[in-house]
């Protein structure tokens, strides 16, 4: 992967950690409770070498951890290696809202009968639509009243980028 144009951009950092679509699918399955390599492989129809590569990357990036399952062995026929679980770390679990938002973004563009995956309330079974809100005020943040601005650790490149954005931002309606 090439280095981001602005190294301290959080969006570029997210892409660096998540990578390609195989990784998104793997994170999705992990959020749904899959923990064993053979279950990921079966669910995603992922070649074992691709799966091993993605799991290694997710572990290296601190999004998952590999832990032994006692002295159980793999439940696949012919496998005799010690069994391991791949668990999301706190950082990995924190990506769930991103996955939910990405799925909702796609579903908003589809007719209800065209949606292959929907988010439902566990109690009612009714479809729900996630929205992004501020933790303190509860206000939606996907409006023109909320925008990105350089943070305290922003580099000169990041500050210059947002000086340009600020000069072009229209006044609120």
């Amino acid at each position: 992967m090439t280095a981001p144009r602005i190294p301290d951009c959080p969006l570029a950092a997210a892409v660096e950690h998540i990578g390609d679509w195989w990784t998104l699918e793997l994170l999705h399955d992990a959020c749904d409770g899959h923990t064993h390599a053979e279950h990921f492989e079966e669910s995603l129809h992922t070649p074992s070498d691709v799966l091993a590569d993605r799991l290694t990357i997710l572990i290296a990036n601190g999004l998952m951890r590999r832990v032994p399952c006692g002295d159980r062995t793999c439940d696949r026929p012919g496998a005799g290696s010690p069994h391991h679980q791949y668990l999301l770390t706190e950082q990995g679990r924190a990506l769930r809202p991103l996955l939910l938002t990405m799925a909702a973004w796609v579903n908003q563009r589809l007719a209800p009968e065209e949606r292959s995956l929907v988010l439902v309330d566990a109690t009612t079974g009714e479809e729900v639509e996630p929205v992004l809100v501020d933790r303190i005020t509860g206000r939606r943040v996907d409006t023109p009243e909320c925008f990105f601005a350089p943070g305290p650790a922003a580099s000169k490149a990041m500050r210059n980028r947002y000086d340009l954005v600020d000069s072009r931002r229209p006044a609120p309606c």
Side-chain angles (χ1 to χ4, degrees):
M1 213 174 276
T2 60
R5 186 177 60 84
I6 299 177
D8 59 334
C9 177
L11 300 175
V15 171
E16 285 284 316
H17 276 83
I18 295 169
D20 55 30
W21 69 272
W22 278 115
T23 306
L24 286 172
E25 291 285 349
L26 188 56
L27 288 167
H28 173 221
D29 270 10
C31 286
D32 278 352
H34 290 282
T35 60
H36 299 95
E38 61 271 13
H39 298 152
F40 289 122
E41 193 172 335
E42 181 181 330
S43 172
L44 300 173
H45 305 286
T46 310
S48 57
D49 59 328
V50 172
L51 178 61
D53 180 54
R54 295 309 177 269
L55 286 169
T56 299
I57 290 169
L58 288 169
I59 291 166
N61 286 339
L63 301 176
M64 293 187 91
R65 59 190 175 96
R66 182 178 186 238
V67 297
C69 277
D71 58 359
R72 280 186 55 208
T73 57
C74 185
D75 56 6
R76 285 176 40 186
S81 62
H83 197 63
H84 289 87
Q85 285 186 307
Y86 295 88
L87 304 175
L88 289 167
T89 63
E90 186 176 330
Q91 270 189 325
R93 285 188 301 277
L95 286 170
R96 187 166 190 264
L98 175 65
L99 299 174
L100 297 175
T101 302
M102 290 173 73
W105 179 79
V106 171
N107 280 347
Q108 286 175 350
R109 286 145 182 79
L110 299 173
E113 66 275 5
E114 295 175 321
R115 298 173 180 176
S116 63
L117 180 71
V118 294
L119 184 64
V120 298
D121 182 286
T123 304
T124 66
E126 295 292 320
E127 185 174 350
V128 296
E129 289 190 43
V131 294
L132 205 52
V133 297
D134 176 62
R135 178 175 286 152
I136 296 170
T137 65
R139 286 184 21 223
R140 287 184 70 138
V141 297
D142 59 346
T143 66
E145 289 78 32
C146 296
F147 52 86
F148 287 113
S155 65
K156 184 174 186 206
M158 182 65 78
R159 290 185 188 286
N160 288 343
R161 177 181 181 191
Y162 280 93
D163 285 345
L164 179 62
V165 170
D166 288 342
S167 70
R168 295 182 180 169
R169 183 175 286 119
C173 298

